[in-house]
Amino acid sequence: MNPPLIAVEGTYEEMGAELGRRTSELVGQSLDTYLRRFRDQAGLTERDVLRWGAVYLDVAREYDARIAAMLEGLAAGAGRPIEHITALNARTEMLYGTGYHDEGCTSVAVLPKHTRTGHTLLAQNWDWHPEQGPVTFLLATRDTEGFAVITLAEAGMLAKSGLNSAGLGVCANLLVSDRDTGGAGVPYHYLLRGVLQSRTMSEAHRKALDVRRISSGNLLIADAGGEAIDLEVAPGVFGTLLPQDGMITHSNHFQCPLPLVDKKAATSALTLLRPTRARHLLEDAAAARNLELADIVAALRDHYSHPDSICRHVNPDVGKGEEVASVYSVVMDLDLRDLYIAAHPPCERSYERWRLGDAFAPGAAPDIHFETAPDIHSEREPGTHFERERHA
């Protein structure tokens, strides 16, 4: 089942409060999951969580008052302690060093000179614990100045991959290095929301780079102006990747020569090959300057090295509670401000298209694209099961 859309408007505090009221049950489920992980994997007591939650509230207020206001409103609306909500938004940092490192993700950006429509395209498969699928949704916000954002979000959180009304989008990939420390600093998911609050590429760079970071992460950023850049960030250092042959592809290891030790490359499922695999699947269409959304969808449904493929499926050898799969697949046309989304597994699901401009209309509903063949579930050979569509 594809995620619902929750659209809120008003001041940032008002939007947070409405979001909290409408998702209070989901927030409770998400908190139950992560508070358990904080306790069992990181050894954090309730007192520890509240103490660090207070630290990350102060960080939010200093980093971006809009984010802080939304978080405070969300906590009030959901009837939860604000410290629980801010700790939830710092879940990567709260779980630093616990083995919480098998989050996947494969991201792709394509420049307009290489697409059939002349539009900038951005996409990602989000690989994570399937238990979070039912508490994840599309969040659309529109402030009093008309600035709008649509993003995938876990309940109680404000951002993941998404785009805004300025035509700027971001995709997220977990990275892990020996520089990661936890502690006081700007959490990764704050950075993602900060980028989505940016009206220009230069502002997005400052929101991601000119801050004290305490964990590693990857931000693939592109815009309707026709540019894309990949930012590999870690505490105290960062690296950049620019498009090659009109594309950037990324997964869960550092590709820049930074002064750090990559602590995920050797253990994350197929991360070392997923970016190259995605490029191989897309390079002919990009070279012909005829690449379409349908080509990207086909790449995101790829099963090479199944189950640890770009379209990731649960590995039956993994222990209960540690399963990882492509929970959601997101494809964006930044010029049209369109976001397409499919639930797990994207190889068997149609994509729903949400148009940012229509998301706030009463009774807003998506339309369906990239439908799969009826027997798709039985096919596991790459390149045999993609129904190519031209109406996207």
Side-chain angles (χ1 to χ4, degrees), residues 57-111:
L57 175 58
D58 289 340
V59 169
R61 288 169 173 164
E62 183 176 350
Y63 175 64
D64 192 314
R66 298 166 298 184
I67 292 175
M70 279 192 73
L71 292 171
E72 291 178 280
L74 196 162
R80 298 284 176 169
I82 179 58
E83 295 86 358
H84 276 180
I85 298 301
T86 49
L88 188 60
N89 282 266
R91 50 101 156 156
T92 302
E93 292 71 21
M94 296 284 286
L95 288 162
Y96 162 74
T98 66
Y100 182 82
H101 294 156
D102 203 27
E103 183 170 8
C105 305
T106 306
S107 299
V108 177
V110 186
L111 298 186

Side-chain angles (χ1 to χ4, degrees), residues 113-130:
K113 287 185 178 180
H114 295 263
T115 66
R116 183 178 63 84
T117 58
H119 295 175
T120 307
L121 307 180
L122 185 63
Q124 168 175 32
N125 276 358
W126 176 47
D127 301 347
W128 191 222
H129 298 309

Side-chain angles (χ1 to χ4, degrees), residues 226-287:
E227 300 295 346
I229 189 169
D230 189 273
L231 305 178
E232 295 182 347
V233 301
V237 296
F238 66 88
T240 62
L241 298 170
L242 296 174
Q244 295 183 0
D245 300 319
M247 283 191 293
I248 301 175
T249 57
H250 209 282
S251 57
N252 303 108
H253 63 281
F254 288 90
Q255 298 181 37
C256 297
L258 295 175
L260 52 74
V261 176
D262 190 323
K263 299 183 70 174
K264 188 171 174 61
T267 60
S268 181
L270 202 67
T271 184
L272 295 172
L273 197 52
R274 275 186 276 127
T276 299
R277 176 65 179 177
R279 183 172 288 275
H280 286 167
L281 292 168
L282 297 171
E283 61 189 357
D284 288 348

Side-chain angles (χ1 to χ4, degrees), residues 7-214:
V8 294
E9 300 182 77
T11 67
Y12 284 89
E13 185 175 4
E14 290 169 343
M15 289 191 291
E18 178 65 15
L19 175 62
R21 286 190 291 270
R22 293 172 61 181
T23 62
S24 58
E25 183 176 342
L26 297 180
V27 170
Q29 294 175 35
S30 193
L31 277 171
D32 287 346
T33 295
Y34 284 117
L35 290 174
R36 183 183 70 250
R37 290 186 181 275
F38 292 162
R39 181 192 67 235
D40 296 345
Q41 294 181 275
L44 297 174
T45 66
E46 172 67 8
R47 184 175 179 179
D48 293 331
V49 173
L50 293 174
R51 176 169 63 88
W52 282 111
V55 169
Y56 294 125
L57 175 58
D58 289 340
V59 169
R61 288 169 173 164
E62 183 176 350
Y63 175 64
D64 192 314
R66 298 166 298 184
I67 292 175
M70 279 192 73
L71 292 171
E72 291 178 280
L74 196 162
R80 298 284 176 169
I82 179 58
E83 295 86 358
H84 276 180
I85 298 301
T86 49
L88 188 60
N89 282 266
R91 50 101 156 156
T92 302
E93 292 71 21
M94 296 284 286
L95 288 162
Y96 162 74
T98 66
Y100 182 82
H101 294 156
D102 203 27
E103 183 170 8
C105 305
T106 306
S107 299
V108 177
V110 186
L111 298 186
K113 287 185 178 180
H114 295 263
T115 66
R116 183 178 63 84
T117 58
H119 295 175
T120 307
L121 307 180
L122 185 63
Q124 168 175 32
N125 276 358
W126 176 47
D127 301 347
W128 191 222
H129 298 309
E131 67 184 352
Q132 283 303 103
V135 297
T136 302
F137 51 87
L138 283 175
L139 169 62
T141 63
R142 186 163 63 187
D143 67 18
T144 54
E145 297 180 355
F147 183 79
V149 171
I150 185 168
T151 178
L152 194 64
E154 296 174 76
M157 301 170 70
L158 299 182
K160 205 169 291 297
S161 300
L163 61 88
N164 66 28
S165 53
L168 187 145
V170 65
C171 288
N173 303 85
L174 180 70
L175 299 174
V176 182
S177 78
D178 62 340
R179 287 176 170 262
D180 300 350
T181 61
V186 182
Y188 178 60
H189 283 83
Y190 286 11
L191 298 182
L192 292 171
R193 185 71 200 194
V195 168
L196 286 171
Q197 290 292 148
S198 301
R199 296 174 184 267
T200 65
M201 182 68 85
S202 60
E203 183 183 354
H205 291 184
R206 289 193 296 272
K207 298 299 284 190
L209 301 178
D210 190 22
V211 298
R212 179 172 183 248
R213 294 178 300 275
I214 50 176

